[in-house]
Amino acid sequence: MTDTSLAAPLDSQTWPIAVCMHGFPPVGRDGTALHDAAPEVWDDVFGQVARLGFTAIELADSHIRPADLDASRREELLSIARAHGVTPISVHVQRQSVIQPGRGEQNLAYAHRTIDAAAELGLQVFSTGLHQPFSDAQRRALWFWTATGAVDPDDADTRALAVKRLRELGEHAASVGLPMSLEMYEDTYLGTADSAVRLIEEIGLDNVGLNPDIGNLVRLHRPIEDWREMHEKTLPYANYWHVKNYTRDEAPDGTWYTSTPTSMELGLINYRAMVARAIELGFAGPFLMEQYGGDSLGVCATNRTYLQSLLPEPAGA
């Protein structure tokens, strides 16, 4: 499950480490969406990424939708990125659940188009999940994870539909040589370690694995599973990994919980231990540096340096 067909052996200098797009506004000051922006705007994005030392980026469809770019714009995107020495290595389809009420079939068709676009762009991973658009309460909250969003129903037929549609996407991804990674996220069928693992096993395809983004769960203002146990259960199925961290505190009697974003090194999750365990279990997928709030790009760069210190040294070093 962890084989991503990347060149091996990987080390601190060759392991693919991408940056997220959270540090860039999805809509510019002039009201133009980044997806539709002029080439000079894209040039600035990739220029900033390169100046921070990143050579890879994840295309989040909240910012740029590869499926909705025509062939000339896709080529323009690649050309601008390459000019800065940056490679788009993954696409992340978010909040477009294939079981979203009233939109599941439409989202499924969009995901299929995204897989084709990812293959055309030469990306290495198709990433998605089952989380849905923000609720009004989430849009109003300082941190969206402190408010209640959509919840996947405890219903066998709906879960079976999720398995069926995700398997369909996985088979499509396999046909174009792409691994598919499913992001863990609260209140979905990927919202607990046991449920996420069971979903991967129900889909039953070698190219479909987990994005064990336990940070999505550590930040919740509610009781959570032990982060060590969640990693132990999910890392054997990991083929792509969004990494981020949060401080977390809670009252012993469960009357309050709090969390805020921080660097990988300072948060609750001990990534030194978890990265070592992942490698021991055979993880060989790309990492994605993710950060909410503050200077997202700067923290991602700090986190990349920290992560590289945890990865194997180059042979002969």
Side-chain angles (χ1 to χ4, degrees), residues 147-159:
T148 301
V151 179
D152 285 350
D154 183 13
D155 174 75
D157 290 340
T158 305
R159 185 180 179 104

Side-chain angles (χ1 to χ4, degrees), residues 171-185:
E171 289 171 343
H172 183 183
S175 74
V176 295
L178 283 172
M180 181 169 103
S181 193
L182 300 179
E183 181 182 17
M184 295 184 67
Y185 199 88

Side-chain angles (χ1 to χ4, degrees), residues 102-140:
R103 285 190 57 91
E105 291 186 0
Q106 183 176 338
N107 290 346
L108 177 64
Y110 168 71
H112 275 298
R113 290 192 295 111
T114 301
I115 290 171
D116 286 333
E120 181 180 322
L121 288 167
L123 306 186
Q124 295 180 19
V125 180
F126 169 67
S127 174
T128 190
L130 291 172
H131 36 316
Q132 298 185 32
F134 289 132
S135 65
D136 289 340
Q138 286 177 311
R139 282 191 288 270
R140 291 192 301 267

Side-chain angles (χ1 to χ4, degrees), residues 196-238:
V197 166
R198 183 159 65 91
L199 191 70
I200 297 301
E201 292 177 341
E202 289 168 335
I203 293 168
L205 297 175
D206 288 342
N207 71 309
V208 178
L210 282 178
N211 169 1
D213 190 350
I214 306 300
N216 286 341
L217 306 176
V218 162
R219 69 191 179 191
L220 299 176
H221 288 198
R222 63 172 93 160
I224 61 170
E225 301 175 79
D226 184 275
W227 59 268
R228 302 167 194 82
E229 295 176 3
M230 284 192 281
H231 281 97
E232 190 64 25
K233 291 176 179 179
T234 59
L235 286 176
Y237 297 83

